[in-house]
Short mmCIF file of all heavy atoms in Angstrom, two decimals:
data_model
loop_
_atom_site.label_atom_id
_atom_site.label_comp_id
_atom_site.label_asym_id
_atom_site.label_seq_id
_atom_site.Cartn_x
_atom_site.Cartn_y
_atom_site.Cartn_z
N MET A 1 28.86 -10.26 27.21
CA MET A 1 28.02 -10.82 26.18
C MET A 1 26.55 -10.48 26.44
O MET A 1 25.83 -10.16 25.53
CB MET A 1 28.24 -12.34 26.14
CG MET A 1 27.48 -13.02 25.06
SD MET A 1 28.21 -12.58 23.49
CE MET A 1 27.31 -13.59 22.42
N TYR A 2 26.14 -10.59 27.71
CA TYR A 2 24.76 -10.29 28.06
C TYR A 2 24.43 -8.82 27.77
O TYR A 2 23.35 -8.51 27.28
CB TYR A 2 24.50 -10.62 29.53
CG TYR A 2 23.10 -10.29 29.96
CD1 TYR A 2 22.02 -11.08 29.55
CD2 TYR A 2 22.83 -9.18 30.76
CE1 TYR A 2 20.72 -10.76 29.92
CE2 TYR A 2 21.55 -8.87 31.13
CZ TYR A 2 20.50 -9.66 30.71
OH TYR A 2 19.22 -9.35 31.07
N ALA A 3 25.38 -7.91 28.06
CA ALA A 3 25.15 -6.49 27.82
C ALA A 3 24.97 -6.22 26.33
O ALA A 3 24.11 -5.41 25.94
CB ALA A 3 26.31 -5.67 28.37
N LEU A 4 25.73 -6.88 25.50
CA LEU A 4 25.61 -6.71 24.06
C LEU A 4 24.24 -7.22 23.57
O LEU A 4 23.56 -6.56 22.78
CB LEU A 4 26.72 -7.45 23.33
CG LEU A 4 26.72 -7.37 21.81
CD1 LEU A 4 26.94 -5.93 21.38
CD2 LEU A 4 27.81 -8.26 21.25
N PHE A 5 23.82 -8.37 24.07
CA PHE A 5 22.53 -8.92 23.70
C PHE A 5 21.40 -8.01 24.17
O PHE A 5 20.45 -7.76 23.44
CB PHE A 5 22.37 -10.33 24.28
CG PHE A 5 21.05 -10.96 23.94
CD1 PHE A 5 20.81 -11.42 22.65
CD2 PHE A 5 20.05 -11.09 24.90
CE1 PHE A 5 19.59 -11.98 22.33
CE2 PHE A 5 18.84 -11.66 24.58
CZ PHE A 5 18.60 -12.11 23.29
N ARG A 6 21.53 -7.51 25.38
CA ARG A 6 20.50 -6.61 25.94
C ARG A 6 20.42 -5.34 25.11
O ARG A 6 19.33 -4.85 24.82
CB ARG A 6 20.84 -6.30 27.39
CG ARG A 6 19.92 -5.29 28.02
CD ARG A 6 19.22 -5.88 29.20
NE ARG A 6 18.48 -4.85 29.87
CZ ARG A 6 17.16 -4.87 29.92
NH1 ARG A 6 16.50 -5.85 29.39
NH2 ARG A 6 16.50 -3.91 30.54
N ARG A 7 21.56 -4.80 24.70
CA ARG A 7 21.58 -3.58 23.89
C ARG A 7 20.91 -3.84 22.55
O ARG A 7 20.14 -3.02 22.06
CB ARG A 7 23.02 -3.11 23.70
CG ARG A 7 23.13 -1.84 22.92
CD ARG A 7 24.56 -1.36 22.87
NE ARG A 7 24.67 -0.33 21.88
CZ ARG A 7 25.74 -0.06 21.19
NH1 ARG A 7 26.84 -0.74 21.42
NH2 ARG A 7 25.77 0.89 20.31
N PHE A 8 21.18 -4.99 21.95
CA PHE A 8 20.58 -5.34 20.67
C PHE A 8 19.07 -5.46 20.79
O PHE A 8 18.33 -4.96 19.94
CB PHE A 8 21.19 -6.64 20.14
CG PHE A 8 20.56 -7.13 18.88
CD1 PHE A 8 20.80 -6.48 17.68
CD2 PHE A 8 19.72 -8.23 18.88
CE1 PHE A 8 20.22 -6.92 16.50
CE2 PHE A 8 19.14 -8.67 17.71
CZ PHE A 8 19.39 -8.02 16.52
N THR A 9 18.59 -6.10 21.84
CA THR A 9 17.15 -6.26 22.01
C THR A 9 16.48 -4.93 22.32
O THR A 9 15.35 -4.69 21.88
CB THR A 9 16.82 -7.29 23.10
OG1 THR A 9 17.45 -6.90 24.30
CG2 THR A 9 17.27 -8.67 22.70
N ASP A 10 17.17 -4.04 23.05
CA ASP A 10 16.60 -2.73 23.31
C ASP A 10 16.47 -1.93 22.01
O ASP A 10 15.45 -1.28 21.78
CB ASP A 10 17.47 -1.95 24.30
CG ASP A 10 17.38 -2.51 25.72
OD1 ASP A 10 16.43 -3.29 25.98
OD2 ASP A 10 18.25 -2.18 26.53
N GLN A 11 17.49 -1.98 21.17
CA GLN A 11 17.44 -1.27 19.89
C GLN A 11 16.35 -1.86 19.00
O GLN A 11 15.64 -1.14 18.31
CB GLN A 11 18.79 -1.34 19.18
CG GLN A 11 19.85 -0.49 19.81
CD GLN A 11 21.19 -0.66 19.13
OE1 GLN A 11 21.39 -1.57 18.34
NE2 GLN A 11 22.12 0.23 19.46
N ARG A 12 16.21 -3.17 19.03
CA ARG A 12 15.20 -3.83 18.22
C ARG A 12 13.80 -3.45 18.70
O ARG A 12 12.91 -3.20 17.90
CB ARG A 12 15.41 -5.33 18.31
CG ARG A 12 14.65 -6.09 17.31
CD ARG A 12 15.12 -7.50 17.26
NE ARG A 12 14.19 -8.28 16.50
CZ ARG A 12 14.02 -9.56 16.59
NH1 ARG A 12 14.76 -10.24 17.42
NH2 ARG A 12 13.16 -10.18 15.86
N ALA A 13 13.60 -3.38 19.99
CA ALA A 13 12.31 -2.99 20.54
C ALA A 13 12.00 -1.54 20.19
O ALA A 13 10.85 -1.22 19.83
CB ALA A 13 12.29 -3.18 22.05
N LEU A 14 13.00 -0.67 20.25
CA LEU A 14 12.79 0.73 19.89
C LEU A 14 12.45 0.85 18.41
O LEU A 14 11.53 1.59 18.04
CB LEU A 14 14.05 1.54 20.21
CG LEU A 14 14.00 3.02 19.84
CD1 LEU A 14 12.92 3.72 20.65
CD2 LEU A 14 15.34 3.67 20.06
N LEU A 15 13.15 0.11 17.56
CA LEU A 15 12.87 0.14 16.13
C LEU A 15 11.46 -0.37 15.84
O LEU A 15 10.72 0.23 15.06
CB LEU A 15 13.90 -0.71 15.39
CG LEU A 15 13.79 -0.73 13.87
CD1 LEU A 15 14.04 0.66 13.32
CD2 LEU A 15 14.77 -1.72 13.29
N LYS A 16 11.06 -1.42 16.51
CA LYS A 16 9.72 -1.97 16.32
C LYS A 16 8.67 -0.95 16.78
O LYS A 16 7.66 -0.76 16.13
CB LYS A 16 9.57 -3.27 17.11
CG LYS A 16 8.24 -3.97 16.88
CD LYS A 16 8.10 -5.18 17.75
CE LYS A 16 8.63 -6.39 17.05
NZ LYS A 16 8.32 -7.64 17.77
N GLN A 17 8.94 -0.29 17.89
CA GLN A 17 8.01 0.70 18.42
C GLN A 17 7.88 1.89 17.46
O GLN A 17 6.79 2.41 17.26
CB GLN A 17 8.49 1.18 19.79
CG GLN A 17 7.54 2.14 20.46
CD GLN A 17 8.09 2.59 21.81
OE1 GLN A 17 9.23 2.30 22.15
NE2 GLN A 17 7.28 3.29 22.56
N LEU A 18 8.98 2.30 16.84
CA LEU A 18 8.94 3.44 15.92
C LEU A 18 8.29 3.08 14.59
O LEU A 18 7.58 3.89 14.00
CB LEU A 18 10.34 3.97 15.69
CG LEU A 18 11.00 4.69 16.87
CD1 LEU A 18 12.42 5.06 16.53
CD2 LEU A 18 10.20 5.91 17.25
N LEU A 19 8.55 1.89 14.10
CA LEU A 19 8.07 1.52 12.78
C LEU A 19 6.62 1.07 12.74
O LEU A 19 5.93 1.27 11.76
CB LEU A 19 8.95 0.42 12.18
CG LEU A 19 10.35 0.83 11.76
CD1 LEU A 19 11.09 -0.37 11.21
CD2 LEU A 19 10.30 1.94 10.74
N PHE A 20 6.15 0.45 13.79
CA PHE A 20 4.84 -0.16 13.76
C PHE A 20 3.79 0.59 14.56
O PHE A 20 2.83 0.00 15.01
CB PHE A 20 4.92 -1.62 14.22
CG PHE A 20 5.73 -2.47 13.29
CD1 PHE A 20 6.91 -3.03 13.72
CD2 PHE A 20 5.32 -2.67 12.00
CE1 PHE A 20 7.67 -3.81 12.86
CE2 PHE A 20 6.07 -3.44 11.13
CZ PHE A 20 7.24 -4.01 11.56
N ASN A 21 3.95 1.89 14.70
CA ASN A 21 2.89 2.65 15.33
C ASN A 21 2.01 3.25 14.22
O ASN A 21 2.45 3.40 13.08
CB ASN A 21 3.42 3.70 16.30
CG ASN A 21 4.20 4.79 15.62
OD1 ASN A 21 4.09 4.99 14.44
ND2 ASN A 21 5.00 5.50 16.39
N PRO A 22 0.76 3.56 14.48
CA PRO A 22 -0.16 4.02 13.43
C PRO A 22 0.30 5.28 12.70
O PRO A 22 0.10 5.40 11.51
CB PRO A 22 -1.46 4.27 14.19
CG PRO A 22 -1.38 3.42 15.39
CD PRO A 22 0.08 3.37 15.76
N ALA A 23 0.91 6.20 13.41
CA ALA A 23 1.33 7.46 12.78
C ALA A 23 2.42 7.21 11.74
O ALA A 23 2.37 7.76 10.63
CB ALA A 23 1.81 8.44 13.83
N SER A 24 3.41 6.39 12.06
CA SER A 24 4.48 6.16 11.10
C SER A 24 4.01 5.31 9.93
O SER A 24 4.44 5.51 8.80
CB SER A 24 5.69 5.52 11.79
OG SER A 24 5.35 4.25 12.30
N LEU A 25 3.11 4.36 10.18
CA LEU A 25 2.56 3.57 9.07
C LEU A 25 1.73 4.44 8.14
O LEU A 25 1.80 4.29 6.92
CB LEU A 25 1.72 2.41 9.61
CG LEU A 25 2.50 1.28 10.28
CD1 LEU A 25 1.54 0.25 10.86
CD2 LEU A 25 3.45 0.63 9.31
N THR A 26 0.96 5.36 8.70
CA THR A 26 0.17 6.28 7.87
C THR A 26 1.08 7.19 7.06
O THR A 26 0.87 7.39 5.86
CB THR A 26 -0.76 7.12 8.77
OG1 THR A 26 -1.60 6.24 9.51
CG2 THR A 26 -1.61 8.06 7.94
N ALA A 27 2.09 7.74 7.70
CA ALA A 27 3.03 8.61 6.99
C ALA A 27 3.77 7.85 5.89
O ALA A 27 3.96 8.39 4.79
CB ALA A 27 4.03 9.21 7.98
N ALA A 28 4.15 6.63 6.15
CA ALA A 28 4.85 5.84 5.14
C ALA A 28 3.94 5.52 3.96
O ALA A 28 4.37 5.59 2.80
CB ALA A 28 5.37 4.55 5.77
N THR A 29 2.68 5.23 4.22
CA THR A 29 1.74 4.93 3.15
C THR A 29 1.48 6.16 2.29
O THR A 29 1.48 6.09 1.05
CB THR A 29 0.41 4.41 3.73
OG1 THR A 29 0.68 3.26 4.54
CG2 THR A 29 -0.57 4.05 2.65
N ILE A 30 1.29 7.29 2.93
CA ILE A 30 1.08 8.54 2.19
C ILE A 30 2.33 8.90 1.39
O ILE A 30 2.25 9.30 0.23
CB ILE A 30 0.68 9.68 3.15
CG1 ILE A 30 -0.72 9.41 3.70
CG2 ILE A 30 0.73 11.03 2.45
CD1 ILE A 30 -1.13 10.34 4.82
N GLY A 31 3.49 8.74 2.01
CA GLY A 31 4.74 9.03 1.31
C GLY A 31 4.94 8.13 0.10
O GLY A 31 5.37 8.60 -0.97
N LEU A 32 4.60 6.87 0.23
CA LEU A 32 4.73 5.94 -0.89
C LEU A 32 3.78 6.31 -2.02
O LEU A 32 4.16 6.30 -3.19
CB LEU A 32 4.46 4.51 -0.42
CG LEU A 32 4.55 3.43 -1.48
CD1 LEU A 32 5.97 3.33 -2.01
CD2 LEU A 32 4.09 2.11 -0.91
N ALA A 33 2.54 6.67 -1.68
CA ALA A 33 1.57 7.06 -2.71
C ALA A 33 2.02 8.33 -3.43
O ALA A 33 1.93 8.42 -4.66
CB ALA A 33 0.20 7.26 -2.07
N VAL A 34 2.51 9.30 -2.69
CA VAL A 34 2.98 10.55 -3.30
C VAL A 34 4.19 10.28 -4.18
O VAL A 34 4.30 10.80 -5.30
CB VAL A 34 3.29 11.60 -2.22
CG1 VAL A 34 4.06 12.78 -2.79
CG2 VAL A 34 2.01 12.06 -1.56
N ALA A 35 5.12 9.46 -3.71
CA ALA A 35 6.30 9.14 -4.51
C ALA A 35 5.93 8.41 -5.79
O ALA A 35 6.47 8.71 -6.86
CB ALA A 35 7.28 8.31 -3.67
N LEU A 36 5.01 7.46 -5.70
CA LEU A 36 4.58 6.75 -6.90
C LEU A 36 3.93 7.70 -7.89
O LEU A 36 4.17 7.62 -9.10
CB LEU A 36 3.61 5.63 -6.54
CG LEU A 36 4.21 4.32 -6.08
CD1 LEU A 36 3.11 3.38 -5.63
CD2 LEU A 36 5.03 3.69 -7.18
N PHE A 37 3.09 8.59 -7.39
CA PHE A 37 2.41 9.54 -8.27
C PHE A 37 3.41 10.50 -8.91
O PHE A 37 3.31 10.82 -10.09
CB PHE A 37 1.34 10.31 -7.51
CG PHE A 37 0.56 11.24 -8.39
CD1 PHE A 37 -0.37 10.73 -9.28
CD2 PHE A 37 0.77 12.59 -8.34
CE1 PHE A 37 -1.09 11.57 -10.11
CE2 PHE A 37 0.06 13.45 -9.16
CZ PHE A 37 -0.87 12.94 -10.05
N ALA A 38 4.38 10.97 -8.15
CA ALA A 38 5.34 11.93 -8.66
C ALA A 38 6.34 11.29 -9.62
O ALA A 38 6.73 11.89 -10.62
CB ALA A 38 6.09 12.59 -7.50
N LEU A 39 6.74 10.07 -9.33
CA LEU A 39 7.78 9.44 -10.14
C LEU A 39 7.25 8.72 -11.36
O LEU A 39 7.93 8.66 -12.38
CB LEU A 39 8.60 8.47 -9.28
CG LEU A 39 9.36 9.12 -8.13
CD1 LEU A 39 10.04 8.05 -7.30
CD2 LEU A 39 10.37 10.10 -8.67
N SER A 40 6.06 8.15 -11.26
CA SER A 40 5.60 7.34 -12.37
C SER A 40 4.08 7.36 -12.50
O SER A 40 3.41 6.39 -12.17
CB SER A 40 6.08 5.90 -12.19
OG SER A 40 5.68 5.12 -13.27
N PRO A 41 3.52 8.45 -13.03
CA PRO A 41 2.07 8.48 -13.20
C PRO A 41 1.60 7.43 -14.21
O PRO A 41 0.47 6.95 -14.13
CB PRO A 41 1.77 9.89 -13.67
CG PRO A 41 3.04 10.56 -13.89
CD PRO A 41 4.13 9.71 -13.37
N ALA A 42 2.44 7.06 -15.17
CA ALA A 42 2.06 6.04 -16.15
C ALA A 42 1.84 4.70 -15.46
O ALA A 42 0.93 3.94 -15.84
CB ALA A 42 3.12 5.93 -17.23
N LEU A 43 2.65 4.40 -14.46
CA LEU A 43 2.49 3.15 -13.72
C LEU A 43 1.15 3.13 -12.98
O LEU A 43 0.43 2.15 -13.03
CB LEU A 43 3.64 2.96 -12.73
CG LEU A 43 3.53 1.77 -11.79
CD1 LEU A 43 3.67 0.48 -12.58
CD2 LEU A 43 4.58 1.85 -10.71
N LEU A 44 0.81 4.23 -12.33
CA LEU A 44 -0.46 4.31 -11.61
C LEU A 44 -1.64 4.24 -12.58
O LEU A 44 -2.65 3.62 -12.28
CB LEU A 44 -0.54 5.59 -10.79
CG LEU A 44 0.38 5.65 -9.58
CD1 LEU A 44 0.24 6.98 -8.88
CD2 LEU A 44 0.09 4.53 -8.63
N GLU A 45 -1.50 4.84 -13.75
CA GLU A 45 -2.58 4.78 -14.73
C GLU A 45 -2.77 3.35 -15.23
O GLU A 45 -3.91 2.89 -15.38
CB GLU A 45 -2.27 5.70 -15.91
CG GLU A 45 -3.40 5.78 -16.91
CD GLU A 45 -3.12 6.77 -18.02
OE1 GLU A 45 -2.14 7.52 -17.94
OE2 GLU A 45 -3.90 6.77 -18.98
N ALA A 46 -1.68 2.63 -15.46
CA ALA A 46 -1.78 1.23 -15.90
C ALA A 46 -2.44 0.37 -14.82
O ALA A 46 -3.28 -0.48 -15.13
CB ALA A 46 -0.40 0.70 -16.24
N ILE A 47 -2.10 0.61 -13.57
CA ILE A 47 -2.71 -0.14 -12.47
C ILE A 47 -4.20 0.16 -12.40
O ILE A 47 -5.03 -0.75 -12.27
CB ILE A 47 -2.01 0.19 -11.13
CG1 ILE A 47 -0.59 -0.37 -11.13
CG2 ILE A 47 -2.80 -0.35 -9.95
CD1 ILE A 47 0.25 0.11 -9.96
N GLU A 48 -4.57 1.43 -12.52
CA GLU A 48 -5.99 1.81 -12.47
C GLU A 48 -6.76 1.20 -13.63
O GLU A 48 -7.88 0.70 -13.45
CB GLU A 48 -6.13 3.34 -12.49
CG GLU A 48 -7.55 3.83 -12.60
CD GLU A 48 -8.46 3.36 -11.47
OE1 GLU A 48 -7.97 3.16 -10.35
OE2 GLU A 48 -9.66 3.18 -11.71
N LEU A 49 -6.20 1.18 -14.83
CA LEU A 49 -6.89 0.59 -15.97
C LEU A 49 -7.07 -0.92 -15.79
O LEU A 49 -8.12 -1.47 -16.16
CB LEU A 49 -6.14 0.90 -17.26
CG LEU A 49 -6.18 2.37 -17.70
CD1 LEU A 49 -5.29 2.58 -18.92
CD2 LEU A 49 -7.59 2.84 -17.96
N ASN A 50 -6.08 -1.58 -15.21
CA ASN A 50 -6.21 -3.01 -14.95
C ASN A 50 -7.30 -3.28 -13.91
O ASN A 50 -8.08 -4.23 -14.05
CB ASN A 50 -4.89 -3.61 -14.49
CG ASN A 50 -3.92 -3.78 -15.63
OD1 ASN A 50 -4.33 -3.97 -16.78
ND2 ASN A 50 -2.63 -3.72 -15.33
N TRP A 51 -7.38 -2.46 -12.87
CA TRP A 51 -8.44 -2.61 -11.87
C TRP A 51 -9.81 -2.37 -12.48
O TRP A 51 -10.79 -3.04 -12.16
CB TRP A 51 -8.22 -1.67 -10.68
CG TRP A 51 -7.26 -2.21 -9.68
CD1 TRP A 51 -5.97 -1.84 -9.50
CD2 TRP A 51 -7.52 -3.24 -8.72
NE1 TRP A 51 -5.41 -2.58 -8.49
CE2 TRP A 51 -6.34 -3.43 -7.99
CE3 TRP A 51 -8.63 -3.99 -8.41
CZ2 TRP A 51 -6.23 -4.36 -6.97
CZ3 TRP A 51 -8.54 -4.92 -7.39
CH2 TRP A 51 -7.35 -5.09 -6.68
N LEU A 52 -9.90 -1.39 -13.38
CA LEU A 52 -11.16 -1.10 -14.05
C LEU A 52 -11.61 -2.29 -14.89
O LEU A 52 -12.78 -2.69 -14.86
CB LEU A 52 -11.02 0.15 -14.92
CG LEU A 52 -12.27 0.62 -15.65
CD1 LEU A 52 -13.34 1.05 -14.66
CD2 LEU A 52 -11.93 1.76 -16.59
N ASP A 53 -10.68 -2.87 -15.65
CA ASP A 53 -11.00 -4.07 -16.43
C ASP A 53 -11.49 -5.20 -15.53
O ASP A 53 -12.46 -5.89 -15.86
CB ASP A 53 -9.78 -4.53 -17.23
CG ASP A 53 -9.44 -3.60 -18.38
OD1 ASP A 53 -10.30 -2.80 -18.77
OD2 ASP A 53 -8.30 -3.69 -18.88
N LEU A 54 -10.82 -5.39 -14.42
CA LEU A 54 -11.21 -6.45 -13.49
C LEU A 54 -12.61 -6.21 -12.92
O LEU A 54 -13.42 -7.13 -12.84
CB LEU A 54 -10.19 -6.55 -12.35
CG LEU A 54 -10.47 -7.60 -11.29
CD1 LEU A 54 -10.38 -9.00 -11.89
CD2 LEU A 54 -9.51 -7.45 -10.13
N ARG A 55 -12.91 -4.96 -12.57
CA ARG A 55 -14.24 -4.66 -12.04
C ARG A 55 -15.34 -4.93 -13.07
O ARG A 55 -16.40 -5.46 -12.75
CB ARG A 55 -14.31 -3.20 -11.56
CG ARG A 55 -13.54 -2.95 -10.28
CD ARG A 55 -13.86 -1.59 -9.69
NE ARG A 55 -13.67 -0.50 -10.62
CZ ARG A 55 -12.65 0.35 -10.60
NH1 ARG A 55 -11.72 0.23 -9.70
NH2 ARG A 55 -12.57 1.33 -11.48
N PHE A 56 -15.08 -4.58 -14.34
CA PHE A 56 -16.07 -4.85 -15.37
C PHE A 56 -16.23 -6.34 -15.61
O PHE A 56 -17.34 -6.82 -15.84
CB PHE A 56 -15.70 -4.14 -16.68
CG PHE A 56 -16.14 -2.71 -16.73
CD1 PHE A 56 -15.21 -1.69 -16.80
CD2 PHE A 56 -17.48 -2.38 -16.70
CE1 PHE A 56 -15.61 -0.38 -16.84
CE2 PHE A 56 -17.90 -1.07 -16.74
CZ PHE A 56 -16.96 -0.06 -16.82
N ARG A 57 -15.14 -7.10 -15.56
CA ARG A 57 -15.24 -8.56 -15.74
C ARG A 57 -16.01 -9.20 -14.59
O ARG A 57 -16.80 -10.11 -14.79
CB ARG A 57 -13.85 -9.18 -15.86
CG ARG A 57 -13.34 -9.11 -17.28
CD ARG A 57 -12.07 -9.94 -17.43
NE ARG A 57 -11.00 -8.98 -17.68
CZ ARG A 57 -9.86 -8.92 -17.04
NH1 ARG A 57 -9.58 -9.77 -16.11
NH2 ARG A 57 -8.97 -8.01 -17.34
N LEU A 58 -15.77 -8.73 -13.37
CA LEU A 58 -16.47 -9.28 -12.21
C LEU A 58 -17.95 -8.92 -12.22
O LEU A 58 -18.79 -9.70 -11.78
CB LEU A 58 -15.83 -8.80 -10.91
CG LEU A 58 -14.45 -9.38 -10.60
CD1 LEU A 58 -13.87 -8.71 -9.36
CD2 LEU A 58 -14.51 -10.88 -10.42
N ARG A 59 -18.28 -7.75 -12.72
CA ARG A 59 -19.67 -7.31 -12.75
C ARG A 59 -20.47 -8.14 -13.75
O ARG A 59 -21.63 -8.45 -13.52
CB ARG A 59 -19.73 -5.83 -13.12
CG ARG A 59 -21.16 -5.29 -13.16
CD ARG A 59 -21.25 -3.98 -13.84
NE ARG A 59 -21.05 -4.18 -15.27
CZ ARG A 59 -20.97 -3.21 -16.15
NH1 ARG A 59 -21.03 -1.97 -15.76
NH2 ARG A 59 -20.80 -3.46 -17.42
N GLY A 60 -19.87 -8.50 -14.87
CA GLY A 60 -20.58 -9.24 -15.91
C GLY A 60 -21.29 -8.31 -16.86
O GLY A 60 -21.28 -7.09 -16.71
N GLN A 61 -21.92 -8.90 -17.86
CA GLN A 61 -22.62 -8.11 -18.85
C GLN A 61 -23.96 -7.62 -18.30
O GLN A 61 -24.64 -8.34 -17.57
CB GLN A 61 -22.83 -8.91 -20.13
CG GLN A 61 -21.56 -9.17 -20.89
CD GLN A 61 -21.85 -9.80 -22.23
OE1 GLN A 61 -22.95 -10.21 -22.52
NE2 GLN A 61 -20.80 -9.89 -23.05
N LEU A 62 -24.34 -6.43 -18.70
CA LEU A 62 -25.63 -5.86 -18.32
C LEU A 62 -26.48 -5.73 -19.58
O LEU A 62 -25.98 -5.36 -20.65
CB LEU A 62 -25.47 -4.47 -17.69
CG LEU A 62 -24.72 -4.41 -16.36
CD1 LEU A 62 -24.60 -2.96 -15.91
CD2 LEU A 62 -25.43 -5.21 -15.30
N ALA A 63 -27.75 -6.03 -19.45
CA ALA A 63 -28.66 -5.85 -20.59
C ALA A 63 -28.89 -4.36 -20.81
O ALA A 63 -29.00 -3.59 -19.85
CB ALA A 63 -29.98 -6.55 -20.29
N PRO A 64 -28.93 -3.95 -22.08
CA PRO A 64 -29.16 -2.52 -22.35
C PRO A 64 -30.58 -2.11 -21.96
O PRO A 64 -31.51 -2.92 -21.98
CB PRO A 64 -28.98 -2.40 -23.87
CG PRO A 64 -29.10 -3.77 -24.41
CD PRO A 64 -28.74 -4.72 -23.31
N GLY A 65 -30.70 -0.86 -21.55
CA GLY A 65 -32.00 -0.34 -21.14
C GLY A 65 -32.89 -0.04 -22.34
O GLY A 65 -32.43 0.02 -23.49
N PRO A 66 -34.16 0.20 -22.10
CA PRO A 66 -35.09 0.44 -23.21
C PRO A 66 -34.95 1.86 -23.80
O PRO A 66 -35.38 2.10 -24.92
CB PRO A 66 -36.47 0.26 -22.57
CG PRO A 66 -36.24 0.59 -21.13
CD PRO A 66 -34.87 0.14 -20.83
N ALA A 67 -34.38 2.78 -23.07
CA ALA A 67 -34.26 4.15 -23.56
C ALA A 67 -33.16 4.24 -24.61
O ALA A 67 -32.12 3.62 -24.52
CB ALA A 67 -33.94 5.08 -22.40
N VAL A 68 -33.44 5.06 -25.65
CA VAL A 68 -32.47 5.27 -26.72
C VAL A 68 -31.80 6.61 -26.45
O VAL A 68 -32.46 7.63 -26.29
CB VAL A 68 -33.16 5.28 -28.10
CG1 VAL A 68 -32.14 5.60 -29.19
CG2 VAL A 68 -33.84 3.95 -28.37
N VAL A 69 -30.47 6.59 -26.40
CA VAL A 69 -29.72 7.81 -26.14
C VAL A 69 -28.89 8.11 -27.38
O VAL A 69 -28.18 7.27 -27.89
CB VAL A 69 -28.80 7.62 -24.92
CG1 VAL A 69 -27.97 8.87 -24.71
CG2 VAL A 69 -29.62 7.28 -23.71
N VAL A 70 -29.05 9.33 -27.90
CA VAL A 70 -28.30 9.72 -29.09
C VAL A 70 -27.35 10.82 -28.71
O VAL A 70 -27.65 11.74 -28.04
CB VAL A 70 -29.25 10.19 -30.21
CG1 VAL A 70 -28.44 10.66 -31.42
CG2 VAL A 70 -30.20 9.10 -30.58
#
């Protein structure tokens, strides 16, 4: 029983070491971004437009400048 528990904890430690190191987290993040862009650009565009709306709402209204642009 102890050998089985020890084997399980060794595998768990190895998995934790592989998954939570900076290189694998960076690769996973880049892979996720590439997959999202390749599979659903409409989804990313909707997210970007929502963030843009939020930024404008947080900024508030700005008074127009004195210069006239035609």
